[in-house]
Amino acid sequence: MTALTSAAPTAPLAVDEPRARFRDLLLGEWFKLISLRSIRWGLLLGLLGLVFLNVNAAIADVNDWDHFSPGMREFFVPSGSLAASFTNNACIATLLITGCLGAVALVSEYSTGQIRTTFAAVPARQALISAKIVVLTVVMTAFGLVATAVSFWASQAVLSGKHAGISLAEPGIWRALLASTLLPPVCALTGLGLAAIVRHSVATVVTTVTVLLLIPNFMSENHHWSACLYHATPFRAWQVLHDLVGTPVNPHIPFPADPAGEWWVYAAWAVGGALAALFFGSRRDV
């Protein structure tokens, strides 16, 4: 008789899957971002809304031009012309739109549970969050560039009917345009960082609006401590940078801001939001 021998089970073949390259992570985050309906509609409607606010301000100035005194007309060009190209209302709308869209870019994954699937597919969490930061920064910078360029061109075209428009050769104009262009990525990265900390849809949006918009409204430049905090907000930083170079400082403000320091405010909020997203986002999946 021959003894029956069972064949030893064969070990499964080990398949070495190639590690995801950072370029692949960028493409994945790009497709995830544009697949969100809220992001697509938010960017489109936000762009149209910003252009409308700025062009509407220019139309209002043209309608009131005949009632301006010669002194008001002299002051209006160029300061008023620049103010009409990107108004305070447009800045407030930018804070709301881009801050909330930046938060939605991450908090939507927490609310749906997709973040677990994402981290399971790509264990390198910090590389994944870094790709999300890069994609969001590029998209929001492009959004800011288009909104600023279209608003400036359209508003100056309206003002030119009263010979009140300005050109890109105006001293200090590029600082103002750059400040408006970079405001969306700064606010979006702030919202992204807050989303990584809060991780709840409604609470994240409320926190973003409170930090970017509501808190600055309770600050003033009448006291040194309040002025320091106020100057450290993106809203006030944009207001200072959007003034033309050489614009006289309001003598009634006890503690005016330094335009050079406001660029550091932009950088601090953007870097702070990115670091918060990297630190908290890579350590939590619920």
Side-chain angles (χ1 to χ4, degrees):
M1 297 181 63
T2 58
L4 296 177
T5 59
S6 58
T10 59
L13 295 177
V15 179
D16 294 331
E17 296 184 0
R19 295 180 59 184
R21 295 171 297 181
F22 192 70
R23 183 179 62 182
D24 300 327
L25 298 180
L26 290 175
L27 290 175
E29 291 301 321
W30 162 254
F31 286 119
K32 279 198 300 184
L33 186 66
I34 63 174
S35 67
L36 292 174
R37 186 180 304 173
S38 57
I39 296 291
R40 297 197 306 269
W41 281 104
L43 292 174
L44 176 60
L45 296 179
L47 177 62
L48 295 177
L50 292 179
V51 173
F52 171 78
L53 287 174
N54 297 320
V55 173
N56 185 63
I59 293 175
D61 290 329
V62 169
N63 293 334
D64 295 336
W65 184 260
D66 294 334
H67 303 287
F68 288 174
S69 64
M72 293 177 62
R73 294 182 182 181
E74 183 179 358
F75 173 79
F76 186 88
V77 183
S79 297
S81 303
L82 176 63
S85 67
F86 209 93
T87 63
N88 271 341
N89 289 335
C91 175
I92 293 173
T94 301
L95 294 172
L96 294 174
I97 295 169
T98 57
C100 292
L101 289 181
V104 169
L106 180 60
V107 78
S108 60
E109 295 194 52
Y110 283 106
S111 61
T112 60
Q114 185 184 6
I115 194 70
R116 299 191 190 96
T117 305
T118 302
F119 285 155
V122 183
R125 297 187 174 191
Q126 288 194 343
L128 184 66
I129 298 297
S130 298
K132 185 181 293 292
I133 291 172
V134 172
V135 170
L136 183 65
T137 301
V138 171
V139 170
M140 289 303 172
T141 302
F143 173 82
L145 178 61
V146 174
T148 301
V150 174
S151 295
F152 181 82
W153 174 82
S155 62
Q156 299 311 309
V158 172
L159 292 174
S160 64
K162 295 293 183 178
H163 304 286
I166 57 175
S167 69
L168 294 176
E170 190 71 33
I173 187 68
W174 288 104
R175 187 188 73 178
L177 296 178
L178 183 61
S180 298
T181 300
L182 295 181
L183 184 62
V186 170
C187 297
L189 290 177
T190 301
L192 185 73
L194 293 174
I197 297 173
V198 180
R199 294 172 293 115
H200 186 276
S201 300
V202 177
T204 299
V205 172
V206 171
T207 303
T208 302
V209 173
T210 301
V211 170
L212 291 177
L213 185 60
L214 296 184
I215 291 179
N217 284 331
F218 291 99
M219 299 177 182
S220 68
E221 294 174 306
N222 296 327
H223 304 282
H224 183 263
W225 67 270
S226 180
C228 290
L229 295 177
Y230 189 33
H231 297 160
T233 62
F235 177 66
R236 183 55 182 160
W238 174 85
Q239 286 183 322
V240 174
L241 294 172
H242 198 254
D243 284 339
L244 289 174
V245 176
T247 302
V249 179
N250 188 345
H252 300 290
I253 298 179
F255 303 99
D258 178 19
E262 299 303 329
W263 289 119
W264 289 105
V265 173
Y266 264 35
W269 281 87
V271 173
L275 292 179
L278 282 171
F279 182 80
F280 294 100
S282 61
R283 285 164 172 78
R284 299 175 177 178
D285 54 4
V286 291

